[in-house]
Amino acid sequence: MVRHISLVTFLLLAAALPARADTAKQALEAHGFIEVVDVIPDIVLDIRYATANNFTGDVVYPCGRCYLRRDVAQRLARAQEVLRPLGLGLKIFDGYRPFRVQERFWELVPDERYVARPKRENGVIIVGSRHNLGAAVDVSLVDAAGNDLEMPTDYDDFSDKARPDWDGTSDTAKKNRALLLKVMQDAGFTVYPTEWWHYDAPGWEGYEMLDLPFCD
């Protein structure tokens, strides 16, 4: 009986405590960002930089969350709406990327065909990736069960095979890549010339580059 009363008391006290603030989310929302799952609950996340399954071989992000500018996320939601009746959906590899991560990537791959050169002057961010703006998203296609559709390459393939116009892939991969291109372009996105998975949203020039974390 004493144990039961103690447990009830503990639960009542716990319920009375204020919820822990998600400070990273609040800071990003103050800059016009939104967590993608809040707009597209059924989207598949495969945030590679939160795992060792990426070109660095290391875990770069402390969590597998994805944020984008609100307008960008809403455009992505429109693409998802087109895919749902086809029994398909989007998978996200990366969205907003803190600037310090971009600096690390440049140290590993100093090649502007694949990694935007980051630059600071007196601590101020001058140049970086559109991912640092929250205006770029890396995506692919999955079926209704979340299985990957065939594409020309895996994510972060640093070769000509990753180009969205590379012709040496299978017919199935071409078809899937073309479908992804169409739904993303119809939503206003532009594909990056060396990466079939990378799409930039219109108006990216007006956003500020940030180095805010997205995990507490």
Side-chain angles (χ1 to χ4, degrees):
M1 183 67 176
V2 173
R3 292 179 62 188
H4 177 66
I5 294 173
S6 298
L7 177 60
V8 170
T9 302
F10 172 79
L11 292 174
L12 289 173
L13 289 172
L17 291 173
R20 179 176 177 272
D22 190 339
T23 54
K25 185 169 187 173
Q26 290 174 351
L28 285 169
E29 287 178 344
H31 283 80
F33 283 77
I34 190 167
E35 192 164 6
V36 173
V37 294
D38 290 342
V39 181
I40 318 172
D42 61 339
I43 202 159
V44 174
L45 297 182
D46 182 10
I47 308 302
R48 293 287 183 90
Y49 302 130
T51 74
N53 181 23
N54 63 69
F55 78 96
T56 72
D58 293 324
V59 176
V60 182
Y61 294 162
C63 70
R65 300 169 77 172
C66 181
Y67 286 84
L68 292 169
R69 299 285 180 171
R70 182 176 293 274
D71 176 69
V72 181
Q74 289 170 344
R75 289 180 180 278
L76 203 64
R78 293 203 288 272
Q80 183 82 337
E81 288 172 2
V82 173
L83 291 168
R84 282 194 194 104
L86 304 177
L88 302 175
L90 293 168
K91 169 188 274 192
I92 298 182
F93 297 118
D94 196 23
Y96 163 69
R97 179 187 304 159
F99 187 78
R100 69 194 68 185
V101 177
Q102 191 68 26
E103 292 175 314
R104 181 177 178 184
F105 286 175
W106 181 256
E107 292 175 359
L108 295 169
V109 184
D111 186 336
E112 292 189 70
R113 292 176 300 170
Y114 304 106
V115 178
R117 181 195 296 266
K119 182 179 180 182
R120 296 183 196 246
E121 288 184 1
N122 300 318
V124 178
I125 300 171
I126 304 299
V127 180
S129 168
R130 290 163 199 173
H131 282 287
N132 306 140
L133 301 166
V137 62
D138 296 342
V139 291
S140 188
L141 295 176
V142 294
D143 63 21
N147 300 308
D148 293 320
L149 269 62
E150 182 184 344
M151 289 293 182
T153 70
D154 194 4
Y155 178 59
D156 269 353
D157 181 293
F158 299 125
S159 74
D160 286 343
K161 295 178 180 179
R163 294 182 61 88
D165 58 356
W166 183 62
D167 194 48
T169 190
S170 70
D171 289 342
T172 299
K174 287 179 185 177
K175 178 181 176 182
N176 294 334
R177 183 182 63 189
L179 175 59
L180 177 64
L181 180 65
K182 178 172 173 47
V183 297
M184 292 296 284
Q185 286 183 332
D186 287 350
F189 290 92
T190 302
V191 70
Y192 196 68
T194 60
E195 298 172 345
W196 60 260
W197 57 82
H198 177 118
Y199 285 86
D200 296 317
W204 59 265
E205 303 92 336
Y207 293 128
E208 174 190 9
M209 290 196 178
L210 297 175
D211 197 20
L212 294 174
F214 53 79
C215 306
D216 289 320

